[in-house]
Amino acid sequence: MARVTIDSAPVPDTLRWAVRLLRAEAVALALLSGWLVWADLTATKTDLVSALFVTGFAVAGAVALWALGGALTRRRAGARAPAMVLELMLLPVGWFMVSGGLGWLGVPLMALGLGVCALLVSPPTTRALGFD
């Protein structure tokens, strides 16, 4: 007897775009991490503990975003909340950028965080992740 595979429903576009944006953020944070490593190695004066902490935080963020994107691709419902927390962390970061005169960067970051959250709570994504 031949094995029969049942196809699951196709991945909705909202979930696909949320994963793409999470992965793009992971790549951007990985590039920033590379720059931080270079800056740590070429600095003439530095507080080593602070430099390693900031660099490690950026690396951990990149890894977390990439892993959450992968988990959401596999429709793991438990990955939605941590992904939303990381996205909502862009709001205070963006706000302080706007307050510091970097509105050209802060406003798009806040919009990105809210946009990915909207994609993650949209009805097609909610259904695809098994929430009723």
Side-chain angles (χ1 to χ4, degrees):
M1 180 178 275
R3 287 189 153 175
V4 176
T5 303
I6 299 173
D7 288 337
S8 60
V11 177
D13 288 336
T14 54
L15 181 56
R16 188 174 296 121
W17 273 104
V19 169
R20 286 178 185 157
L21 291 171
L22 285 170
R23 293 270 170 100
E25 289 176 34
V27 169
L29 202 49
L31 291 172
L32 177 65
S33 300
W35 180 80
L36 286 171
V37 168
W38 177 80
D40 292 345
L41 294 174
T42 59
T44 56
K45 276 178 75 171
T46 185
D47 177 10
L48 183 61
V49 174
S50 295
L52 292 176
F53 180 74
V54 170
T55 304
F57 188 75
V59 169
V63 169
L65 286 168
W66 190 269
L68 288 169
L72 286 168
T73 299
R74 292 185 306 278
R75 298 184 186 195
R76 304 281 188 223
R80 183 168 80 164
M84 289 180 64
V85 168
L86 289 178
E87 292 305 307
L88 290 174
M89 287 175 63
L90 291 175
L91 295 178
V93 171
W95 176 256
F96 282 107
M97 287 181 158
V98 169
S99 299
L102 293 173
W104 61 271
L105 183 58
V107 171
L109 276 180
M110 293 186 332
L112 175 65
L114 290 174
V116 173
C117 283
L119 290 170
L120 289 173
V121 297
S122 68
T125 299
T126 300
R127 281 190 298 274
L129 293 176
F131 296 111
D132 292 316

